[in-house]
Short mmCIF file of all heavy atoms in Angstrom, two decimals:
data_model
loop_
_atom_site.label_atom_id
_atom_site.label_comp_id
_atom_site.label_asym_id
_atom_site.label_seq_id
_atom_site.Cartn_x
_atom_site.Cartn_y
_atom_site.Cartn_z
N MET A 914 -58.45 -24.82 -36.79
CA MET A 914 -57.12 -25.14 -36.23
C MET A 914 -57.09 -24.80 -34.71
O MET A 914 -57.44 -23.72 -34.33
CB MET A 914 -56.06 -24.45 -36.99
CG MET A 914 -54.68 -25.08 -36.85
SD MET A 914 -53.45 -24.28 -37.87
CE MET A 914 -53.18 -22.80 -36.89
N LYS A 915 -56.60 -25.74 -33.97
CA LYS A 915 -56.51 -25.53 -32.53
C LYS A 915 -55.35 -24.66 -32.21
O LYS A 915 -54.21 -24.87 -32.70
CB LYS A 915 -56.35 -26.86 -31.84
CG LYS A 915 -57.00 -26.83 -30.48
CD LYS A 915 -57.12 -28.27 -29.90
CE LYS A 915 -57.64 -28.20 -28.47
NZ LYS A 915 -56.76 -28.72 -27.51
N PRO A 916 -55.53 -23.63 -31.38
CA PRO A 916 -54.38 -22.78 -31.02
C PRO A 916 -53.40 -23.50 -30.17
O PRO A 916 -53.72 -24.39 -29.42
CB PRO A 916 -55.06 -21.64 -30.26
CG PRO A 916 -56.39 -22.07 -29.86
CD PRO A 916 -56.82 -23.13 -30.84
N LYS A 917 -52.13 -23.18 -30.38
CA LYS A 917 -51.13 -23.88 -29.61
C LYS A 917 -50.68 -23.10 -28.35
O LYS A 917 -50.35 -21.96 -28.46
CB LYS A 917 -49.84 -24.03 -30.56
CG LYS A 917 -48.81 -24.86 -29.87
CD LYS A 917 -47.71 -25.23 -30.87
CE LYS A 917 -46.51 -25.91 -30.34
NZ LYS A 917 -46.53 -26.43 -28.99
N LYS A 918 -50.89 -23.80 -27.31
CA LYS A 918 -50.59 -23.15 -26.01
C LYS A 918 -49.05 -23.23 -25.72
O LYS A 918 -48.46 -24.30 -25.97
CB LYS A 918 -51.33 -23.86 -24.86
CG LYS A 918 -51.78 -22.94 -23.76
CD LYS A 918 -52.84 -23.58 -22.91
CE LYS A 918 -53.30 -22.52 -21.83
NZ LYS A 918 -54.29 -23.09 -20.96
N VAL A 919 -48.50 -22.18 -25.22
CA VAL A 919 -47.09 -22.22 -24.86
C VAL A 919 -46.96 -21.87 -23.39
O VAL A 919 -47.89 -21.49 -22.72
CB VAL A 919 -46.31 -21.21 -25.72
CG1 VAL A 919 -46.31 -21.62 -27.20
CG2 VAL A 919 -46.80 -19.79 -25.53
N LYS A 920 -45.77 -22.06 -22.87
CA LYS A 920 -45.48 -21.69 -21.47
C LYS A 920 -45.69 -20.14 -21.39
O LYS A 920 -45.29 -19.43 -22.27
CB LYS A 920 -44.07 -22.04 -21.05
CG LYS A 920 -43.93 -23.60 -20.91
CD LYS A 920 -42.70 -23.93 -20.18
CE LYS A 920 -42.63 -25.45 -19.93
NZ LYS A 920 -41.37 -26.01 -20.45
N PRO A 921 -46.25 -19.68 -20.25
CA PRO A 921 -46.42 -18.28 -20.09
C PRO A 921 -45.19 -17.52 -20.24
O PRO A 921 -44.11 -17.89 -19.78
CB PRO A 921 -47.02 -18.16 -18.68
CG PRO A 921 -47.44 -19.49 -18.28
CD PRO A 921 -46.69 -20.48 -19.05
N TYR A 922 -45.28 -16.37 -20.87
CA TYR A 922 -44.14 -15.41 -20.97
C TYR A 922 -44.66 -14.04 -20.95
O TYR A 922 -45.81 -13.75 -21.27
CB TYR A 922 -43.33 -15.72 -22.25
CG TYR A 922 -44.01 -15.41 -23.53
CD1 TYR A 922 -43.83 -14.15 -24.15
CD2 TYR A 922 -44.76 -16.32 -24.15
CE1 TYR A 922 -44.47 -13.82 -25.34
CE2 TYR A 922 -45.46 -16.06 -25.36
CZ TYR A 922 -45.27 -14.78 -25.95
OH TYR A 922 -45.91 -14.51 -27.12
N HIS A 923 -43.77 -13.10 -20.64
CA HIS A 923 -44.16 -11.71 -20.57
C HIS A 923 -42.90 -10.89 -20.85
O HIS A 923 -41.81 -11.41 -21.10
CB HIS A 923 -44.66 -11.38 -19.16
CG HIS A 923 -43.67 -11.46 -18.11
ND1 HIS A 923 -43.32 -12.70 -17.59
CD2 HIS A 923 -42.92 -10.55 -17.47
CE1 HIS A 923 -42.35 -12.45 -16.65
NE2 HIS A 923 -42.13 -11.18 -16.57
N THR A 924 -43.08 -9.61 -20.85
CA THR A 924 -41.93 -8.73 -21.00
C THR A 924 -42.09 -7.53 -20.09
O THR A 924 -43.22 -7.07 -19.76
CB THR A 924 -41.80 -8.15 -22.46
OG1 THR A 924 -40.76 -7.21 -22.48
CG2 THR A 924 -43.07 -7.58 -22.98
N ASP A 925 -40.93 -7.10 -19.57
CA ASP A 925 -41.05 -5.94 -18.60
C ASP A 925 -41.16 -4.65 -19.33
O ASP A 925 -41.39 -3.59 -18.80
CB ASP A 925 -39.78 -5.93 -17.72
CG ASP A 925 -39.76 -7.10 -16.80
OD1 ASP A 925 -40.83 -7.57 -16.36
OD2 ASP A 925 -38.64 -7.55 -16.47
N GLU A 926 -40.97 -4.76 -20.65
CA GLU A 926 -40.95 -3.51 -21.47
C GLU A 926 -42.28 -3.11 -22.03
O GLU A 926 -42.44 -2.08 -22.67
CB GLU A 926 -39.97 -3.67 -22.61
CG GLU A 926 -38.51 -3.79 -22.13
CD GLU A 926 -37.56 -3.81 -23.26
OE1 GLU A 926 -37.98 -3.83 -24.41
OE2 GLU A 926 -36.34 -3.79 -22.96
N GLU A 927 -43.29 -3.96 -21.83
CA GLU A 927 -44.59 -3.70 -22.49
C GLU A 927 -45.67 -3.54 -21.44
O GLU A 927 -45.45 -3.53 -20.25
CB GLU A 927 -44.90 -4.86 -23.42
CG GLU A 927 -45.02 -4.34 -24.88
CD GLU A 927 -45.85 -5.27 -25.68
OE1 GLU A 927 -46.93 -5.68 -25.22
OE2 GLU A 927 -45.39 -5.62 -26.82
N THR A 928 -46.92 -3.54 -21.90
CA THR A 928 -48.05 -3.53 -21.00
C THR A 928 -47.98 -4.75 -20.09
O THR A 928 -47.56 -5.78 -20.50
CB THR A 928 -49.36 -3.52 -21.81
OG1 THR A 928 -49.31 -4.64 -22.70
CG2 THR A 928 -49.56 -2.21 -22.57
N GLU A 929 -48.49 -4.60 -18.93
CA GLU A 929 -48.34 -5.60 -17.93
C GLU A 929 -49.22 -6.78 -18.06
O GLU A 929 -50.15 -7.00 -17.27
CB GLU A 929 -48.38 -4.95 -16.56
CG GLU A 929 -47.28 -3.91 -16.32
CD GLU A 929 -47.34 -3.27 -14.99
OE1 GLU A 929 -48.40 -3.34 -14.30
OE2 GLU A 929 -46.27 -2.72 -14.58
N VAL A 930 -48.97 -7.60 -19.09
CA VAL A 930 -49.73 -8.81 -19.31
C VAL A 930 -48.81 -9.92 -19.65
O VAL A 930 -47.66 -9.73 -20.01
CB VAL A 930 -50.74 -8.59 -20.49
CG1 VAL A 930 -51.82 -7.56 -20.15
CG2 VAL A 930 -50.02 -8.20 -21.74
N TYR A 931 -49.34 -11.16 -19.58
CA TYR A 931 -48.57 -12.26 -20.02
C TYR A 931 -49.31 -13.02 -21.15
O TYR A 931 -50.48 -12.83 -21.34
CB TYR A 931 -48.22 -13.22 -18.89
CG TYR A 931 -49.32 -13.95 -18.26
CD1 TYR A 931 -49.79 -15.14 -18.77
CD2 TYR A 931 -50.02 -13.33 -17.15
CE1 TYR A 931 -50.89 -15.82 -18.14
CE2 TYR A 931 -51.03 -14.05 -16.55
CZ TYR A 931 -51.52 -15.26 -17.03
OH TYR A 931 -52.52 -15.91 -16.45
N HIS A 932 -48.58 -13.83 -21.87
CA HIS A 932 -49.12 -14.47 -23.07
C HIS A 932 -49.01 -15.97 -22.92
O HIS A 932 -48.07 -16.47 -22.35
CB HIS A 932 -48.40 -14.04 -24.35
CG HIS A 932 -48.38 -12.53 -24.49
ND1 HIS A 932 -49.42 -11.87 -25.03
CD2 HIS A 932 -47.51 -11.63 -24.14
CE1 HIS A 932 -49.16 -10.56 -25.02
NE2 HIS A 932 -47.98 -10.40 -24.49
N ILE A 933 -49.98 -16.70 -23.51
CA ILE A 933 -49.93 -18.16 -23.37
C ILE A 933 -50.23 -18.87 -24.70
O ILE A 933 -50.28 -20.04 -24.73
CB ILE A 933 -50.97 -18.68 -22.33
CG1 ILE A 933 -52.37 -18.00 -22.55
CG2 ILE A 933 -50.53 -18.44 -20.91
CD1 ILE A 933 -53.51 -18.64 -21.77
N TYR A 934 -50.39 -18.05 -25.78
CA TYR A 934 -50.65 -18.76 -27.10
C TYR A 934 -49.64 -18.30 -28.13
O TYR A 934 -49.25 -17.19 -28.21
CB TYR A 934 -52.04 -18.40 -27.59
CG TYR A 934 -53.09 -19.18 -26.83
CD1 TYR A 934 -53.88 -18.64 -25.86
CD2 TYR A 934 -53.20 -20.56 -27.08
CE1 TYR A 934 -54.85 -19.39 -25.19
CE2 TYR A 934 -54.20 -21.30 -26.41
CZ TYR A 934 -54.98 -20.70 -25.47
OH TYR A 934 -55.91 -21.47 -24.76
N LYS A 935 -49.20 -19.33 -28.87
CA LYS A 935 -48.25 -19.11 -29.93
C LYS A 935 -48.90 -18.18 -30.99
O LYS A 935 -48.13 -17.44 -31.63
CB LYS A 935 -47.97 -20.49 -30.57
CG LYS A 935 -46.80 -20.54 -31.51
CD LYS A 935 -46.55 -21.99 -31.90
CE LYS A 935 -45.31 -22.06 -32.80
NZ LYS A 935 -45.60 -21.69 -34.16
N GLU A 936 -50.18 -18.26 -31.18
CA GLU A 936 -50.86 -17.46 -32.24
C GLU A 936 -51.05 -15.97 -31.84
O GLU A 936 -51.54 -15.23 -32.64
CB GLU A 936 -52.24 -18.03 -32.55
CG GLU A 936 -52.19 -19.30 -33.38
CD GLU A 936 -51.86 -20.52 -32.54
OE1 GLU A 936 -51.72 -20.42 -31.33
OE2 GLU A 936 -51.82 -21.61 -33.13
N CYS A 937 -50.73 -15.63 -30.60
CA CYS A 937 -51.00 -14.29 -30.12
C CYS A 937 -50.13 -13.28 -30.91
O CYS A 937 -48.92 -13.28 -30.79
CB CYS A 937 -50.75 -14.16 -28.65
SG CYS A 937 -51.10 -12.46 -28.07
N THR A 938 -50.81 -12.40 -31.61
CA THR A 938 -50.11 -11.39 -32.41
C THR A 938 -49.42 -10.35 -31.56
O THR A 938 -48.40 -9.85 -31.89
CB THR A 938 -51.07 -10.65 -33.37
OG1 THR A 938 -52.25 -10.27 -32.71
CG2 THR A 938 -51.46 -11.60 -34.51
N VAL A 939 -50.05 -10.06 -30.37
CA VAL A 939 -49.40 -9.12 -29.42
C VAL A 939 -48.08 -9.69 -28.92
O VAL A 939 -47.08 -9.02 -28.92
CB VAL A 939 -50.38 -8.80 -28.32
CG1 VAL A 939 -49.80 -7.77 -27.36
CG2 VAL A 939 -51.71 -8.27 -28.82
N GLY A 940 -48.16 -10.95 -28.44
CA GLY A 940 -47.00 -11.61 -27.95
C GLY A 940 -45.93 -11.78 -28.99
O GLY A 940 -44.73 -11.69 -28.73
N ASN A 941 -46.36 -12.04 -30.19
CA ASN A 941 -45.38 -12.24 -31.32
C ASN A 941 -44.59 -11.00 -31.63
O ASN A 941 -43.59 -11.03 -32.29
CB ASN A 941 -46.12 -12.77 -32.52
CG ASN A 941 -46.49 -14.25 -32.34
OD1 ASN A 941 -45.87 -14.96 -31.59
ND2 ASN A 941 -47.45 -14.67 -33.12
N ASN A 942 -45.18 -9.81 -31.24
CA ASN A 942 -44.47 -8.58 -31.47
C ASN A 942 -43.30 -8.39 -30.53
O ASN A 942 -42.48 -7.45 -30.74
CB ASN A 942 -45.39 -7.37 -31.37
CG ASN A 942 -46.33 -7.19 -32.57
OD1 ASN A 942 -45.94 -7.64 -33.65
ND2 ASN A 942 -47.45 -6.62 -32.40
N ILE A 943 -43.26 -9.17 -29.46
CA ILE A 943 -42.15 -9.03 -28.53
C ILE A 943 -40.91 -9.72 -29.04
O ILE A 943 -40.98 -10.97 -29.41
CB ILE A 943 -42.60 -9.68 -27.14
CG1 ILE A 943 -43.88 -9.01 -26.66
CG2 ILE A 943 -41.45 -9.51 -26.18
CD1 ILE A 943 -44.47 -9.66 -25.43
N GLU A 944 -39.85 -9.04 -29.08
CA GLU A 944 -38.60 -9.66 -29.55
C GLU A 944 -38.26 -10.79 -28.61
O GLU A 944 -38.42 -10.72 -27.40
CB GLU A 944 -37.45 -8.63 -29.47
CG GLU A 944 -37.72 -7.42 -30.34
CD GLU A 944 -37.58 -7.73 -31.81
OE1 GLU A 944 -36.97 -8.71 -32.22
OE2 GLU A 944 -38.14 -6.89 -32.64
N LYS A 945 -37.74 -11.90 -29.19
CA LYS A 945 -37.44 -13.08 -28.39
C LYS A 945 -36.54 -12.75 -27.20
O LYS A 945 -36.68 -13.27 -26.09
CB LYS A 945 -36.81 -14.17 -29.23
CG LYS A 945 -37.85 -14.91 -30.05
CD LYS A 945 -37.41 -16.37 -30.32
CE LYS A 945 -38.53 -17.20 -30.84
NZ LYS A 945 -39.17 -16.66 -32.06
N GLU A 946 -35.57 -11.94 -27.41
CA GLU A 946 -34.62 -11.61 -26.28
C GLU A 946 -35.21 -10.77 -25.20
O GLU A 946 -34.71 -10.68 -24.13
CB GLU A 946 -33.34 -10.89 -26.86
CG GLU A 946 -33.60 -9.58 -27.53
CD GLU A 946 -33.66 -9.67 -29.05
OE1 GLU A 946 -34.12 -10.72 -29.53
OE2 GLU A 946 -33.22 -8.72 -29.72
N ASN A 947 -36.42 -10.22 -25.46
CA ASN A 947 -37.09 -9.43 -24.43
C ASN A 947 -38.14 -10.26 -23.69
O ASN A 947 -38.78 -9.74 -22.80
CB ASN A 947 -37.77 -8.21 -25.03
CG ASN A 947 -36.78 -7.18 -25.53
OD1 ASN A 947 -35.65 -7.12 -25.05
ND2 ASN A 947 -37.13 -6.43 -26.55
N ARG A 948 -38.30 -11.50 -24.04
CA ARG A 948 -39.29 -12.36 -23.38
C ARG A 948 -38.73 -12.89 -22.09
O ARG A 948 -37.64 -13.37 -22.06
CB ARG A 948 -39.70 -13.47 -24.31
CG ARG A 948 -40.46 -12.99 -25.53
CD ARG A 948 -40.94 -14.08 -26.37
NE ARG A 948 -41.51 -13.60 -27.61
CZ ARG A 948 -42.15 -14.31 -28.53
NH1 ARG A 948 -42.24 -15.64 -28.39
NH2 ARG A 948 -42.59 -13.78 -29.66
N GLN A 949 -39.59 -12.85 -21.07
CA GLN A 949 -39.28 -13.40 -19.75
C GLN A 949 -40.22 -14.57 -19.53
O GLN A 949 -41.34 -14.52 -19.84
CB GLN A 949 -39.48 -12.37 -18.65
CG GLN A 949 -38.93 -10.98 -18.92
CD GLN A 949 -37.44 -10.88 -18.65
OE1 GLN A 949 -36.89 -11.69 -17.95
NE2 GLN A 949 -36.88 -9.83 -19.22
N LYS A 950 -39.67 -15.60 -18.83
CA LYS A 950 -40.46 -16.77 -18.49
C LYS A 950 -41.47 -16.45 -17.39
O LYS A 950 -41.16 -15.69 -16.50
CB LYS A 950 -39.60 -17.91 -18.07
CG LYS A 950 -38.98 -18.66 -19.26
CD LYS A 950 -38.13 -19.84 -18.69
CE LYS A 950 -37.30 -20.41 -19.89
NZ LYS A 950 -36.29 -21.29 -19.40
N GLY A 951 -42.64 -17.08 -17.49
CA GLY A 951 -43.59 -16.98 -16.44
C GLY A 951 -44.64 -15.85 -16.64
O GLY A 951 -44.54 -15.11 -17.61
N THR A 952 -45.51 -15.73 -15.67
CA THR A 952 -46.57 -14.73 -15.79
C THR A 952 -46.09 -13.36 -15.30
O THR A 952 -46.75 -12.33 -15.61
CB THR A 952 -47.79 -15.16 -14.97
OG1 THR A 952 -47.42 -15.15 -13.57
CG2 THR A 952 -48.30 -16.51 -15.39
N GLY A 953 -45.05 -13.32 -14.53
CA GLY A 953 -44.61 -12.02 -13.98
C GLY A 953 -45.61 -11.41 -12.97
O GLY A 953 -45.46 -10.31 -12.60
N GLY A 954 -46.56 -12.20 -12.60
CA GLY A 954 -47.59 -11.75 -11.65
C GLY A 954 -48.64 -10.81 -12.38
O GLY A 954 -49.37 -10.10 -11.73
N TYR A 955 -48.56 -10.79 -13.69
CA TYR A 955 -49.47 -9.94 -14.44
C TYR A 955 -50.78 -10.67 -14.81
O TYR A 955 -50.92 -11.84 -14.46
CB TYR A 955 -48.80 -9.48 -15.81
CG TYR A 955 -47.51 -8.71 -15.61
CD1 TYR A 955 -46.55 -8.78 -16.58
CD2 TYR A 955 -47.32 -7.90 -14.52
CE1 TYR A 955 -45.35 -8.08 -16.41
CE2 TYR A 955 -46.17 -7.16 -14.35
CZ TYR A 955 -45.19 -7.26 -15.28
OH TYR A 955 -44.04 -6.56 -15.16
N ARG A 956 -51.67 -9.93 -15.53
CA ARG A 956 -52.91 -10.59 -15.92
C ARG A 956 -52.75 -11.14 -17.36
O ARG A 956 -51.86 -10.69 -18.08
CB ARG A 956 -54.09 -9.60 -15.80
CG ARG A 956 -53.93 -8.42 -16.68
CD ARG A 956 -54.76 -7.25 -16.10
NE ARG A 956 -54.21 -5.99 -16.62
CZ ARG A 956 -54.37 -5.55 -17.82
NH1 ARG A 956 -55.06 -6.23 -18.64
NH2 ARG A 956 -53.80 -4.43 -18.21
N PRO A 957 -53.66 -12.05 -17.73
CA PRO A 957 -53.49 -12.62 -19.13
C PRO A 957 -53.80 -11.56 -20.16
O PRO A 957 -54.66 -10.70 -19.93
CB PRO A 957 -54.60 -13.72 -19.10
CG PRO A 957 -55.14 -13.81 -17.83
CD PRO A 957 -54.73 -12.71 -16.99
N CYS A 958 -53.15 -11.66 -21.27
CA CYS A 958 -53.33 -10.79 -22.40
C CYS A 958 -54.73 -10.88 -22.97
O CYS A 958 -55.25 -12.00 -23.04
CB CYS A 958 -52.22 -11.11 -23.37
SG CYS A 958 -52.64 -10.89 -25.07
N LYS A 959 -55.28 -9.78 -23.39
CA LYS A 959 -56.59 -9.74 -23.94
C LYS A 959 -56.75 -10.67 -25.14
O LYS A 959 -57.71 -11.35 -25.35
CB LYS A 959 -56.95 -8.30 -24.29
CG LYS A 959 -58.42 -8.00 -24.32
CD LYS A 959 -58.63 -6.52 -24.64
CE LYS A 959 -59.99 -6.29 -25.29
NZ LYS A 959 -60.16 -4.98 -25.84
N ARG A 960 -55.80 -10.56 -26.01
CA ARG A 960 -55.78 -11.32 -27.25
C ARG A 960 -55.74 -12.84 -26.97
O ARG A 960 -56.36 -13.62 -27.54
CB ARG A 960 -54.62 -10.90 -28.14
CG ARG A 960 -54.60 -11.61 -29.49
CD ARG A 960 -55.72 -11.17 -30.38
NE ARG A 960 -55.83 -12.13 -31.50
CZ ARG A 960 -57.07 -12.78 -31.70
NH1 ARG A 960 -58.08 -12.59 -30.93
NH2 ARG A 960 -57.13 -13.66 -32.69
N CYS A 961 -54.84 -13.19 -26.01
CA CYS A 961 -54.73 -14.63 -25.57
C CYS A 961 -56.11 -15.10 -25.04
O CYS A 961 -56.44 -16.25 -25.29
CB CYS A 961 -53.63 -14.82 -24.52
SG CYS A 961 -51.97 -14.75 -25.24
N LYS A 962 -56.77 -14.28 -24.32
CA LYS A 962 -58.10 -14.69 -23.73
C LYS A 962 -59.09 -14.86 -24.89
O LYS A 962 -59.88 -15.81 -24.82
CB LYS A 962 -58.64 -13.68 -22.79
CG LYS A 962 -57.89 -13.72 -21.47
CD LYS A 962 -58.76 -13.16 -20.29
CE LYS A 962 -58.68 -11.64 -20.26
NZ LYS A 962 -59.25 -11.09 -19.04
N GLU A 963 -59.04 -14.08 -25.89
CA GLU A 963 -59.93 -14.27 -27.05
C GLU A 963 -59.61 -15.55 -27.83
O GLU A 963 -60.53 -16.26 -28.17
CB GLU A 963 -59.74 -13.07 -28.09
CG GLU A 963 -60.40 -11.76 -27.57
CD GLU A 963 -60.12 -10.62 -28.49
OE1 GLU A 963 -59.37 -10.78 -29.45
OE2 GLU A 963 -60.69 -9.56 -28.22
N ILE A 964 -58.36 -15.83 -27.96
CA ILE A 964 -57.88 -17.08 -28.57
C ILE A 964 -58.44 -18.26 -27.81
O ILE A 964 -58.97 -19.25 -28.37
CB ILE A 964 -56.36 -17.16 -28.69
CG1 ILE A 964 -55.86 -16.05 -29.65
CG2 ILE A 964 -55.91 -18.52 -29.21
CD1 ILE A 964 -54.39 -15.82 -29.65
N GLN A 965 -58.34 -18.18 -26.46
CA GLN A 965 -58.81 -19.24 -25.56
C GLN A 965 -60.29 -19.52 -25.77
O GLN A 965 -60.76 -20.61 -25.74
CB GLN A 965 -58.58 -18.82 -24.16
CG GLN A 965 -58.60 -19.95 -23.14
CD GLN A 965 -57.99 -19.60 -21.80
OE1 GLN A 965 -58.09 -18.45 -21.40
NE2 GLN A 965 -57.32 -20.55 -21.17
N LYS A 966 -61.04 -18.46 -26.02
CA LYS A 966 -62.47 -18.58 -26.24
C LYS A 966 -62.84 -18.99 -27.68
O LYS A 966 -64.00 -19.12 -28.02
CB LYS A 966 -63.17 -17.21 -25.96
CG LYS A 966 -63.28 -16.89 -24.50
CD LYS A 966 -63.91 -15.51 -24.37
CE LYS A 966 -63.71 -14.95 -22.96
NZ LYS A 966 -63.93 -13.45 -22.98
N GLY A 967 -61.80 -19.10 -28.47
CA GLY A 967 -62.02 -19.59 -29.86
C GLY A 967 -62.38 -18.50 -30.84
O GLY A 967 -63.03 -18.72 -31.88
N LYS A 968 -62.00 -17.24 -30.52
CA LYS A 968 -62.33 -16.13 -31.40
C LYS A 968 -61.17 -15.97 -32.41
O LYS A 968 -60.04 -16.18 -32.08
CB LYS A 968 -62.51 -14.86 -30.63
CG LYS A 968 -63.80 -14.86 -29.95
CD LYS A 968 -64.03 -13.49 -29.22
CE LYS A 968 -65.22 -13.54 -28.30
NZ LYS A 968 -65.32 -12.31 -27.47
ZN1 LIG B 1045 -51.13 -12.67 -25.79
#
C-alpha cells in the first residue's frame, strides 16, 4: 500500500521535526489541535523518512 502524503505539519510542543505522511505513528500521536501547518523550519521526522524509503 502506498503511503499517503499530507501537507507538512509540526507541533511546537514536541521534538523539533515535521511530518509529511498520514501513516506516521509519531505524527499521529500529536493531538489535532496541537498541529501547526508547515515545516516550522524543522527537519523531517525520522519515521516519515523511513516511510518515504518504503520501510
Ligand atoms: Zn513523521
Side-chain angles (χ1 to χ4, degrees):
M914 199 176 75
K915 211 169 177 240
K917 187 168 171 14
K918 215 165 181 181
V919 295
K920 288 195 176 124
Y922 67 93
H923 67 281
T924 173
D925 291 330
E926 295 186 352
E927 241 203 47
T928 51
E929 297 181 339
V930 294
Y931 66 88
H932 306 277
I933 48 168
Y934 284 105
K935 194 174 181 281
E936 284 81 359
C937 180
T938 47
V939 182
N941 284 339
N942 282 335
I943 303 169
E944 302 288 340
K945 280 210 167 58
E946 61 261 34
N947 291 333
R948 293 183 189 188
Q949 315 277 344
K950 279 181 190 167
T952 64
Y955 300 150
R956 61 204 158 74
C958 146
K959 204 177 154 191
R960 184 70 199 120
C961 284
K962 283 204 281 193
E963 286 175 355
I964 293 168
Q965 196 165 37
K966 287 177 196 162
K968 286 185 191 171

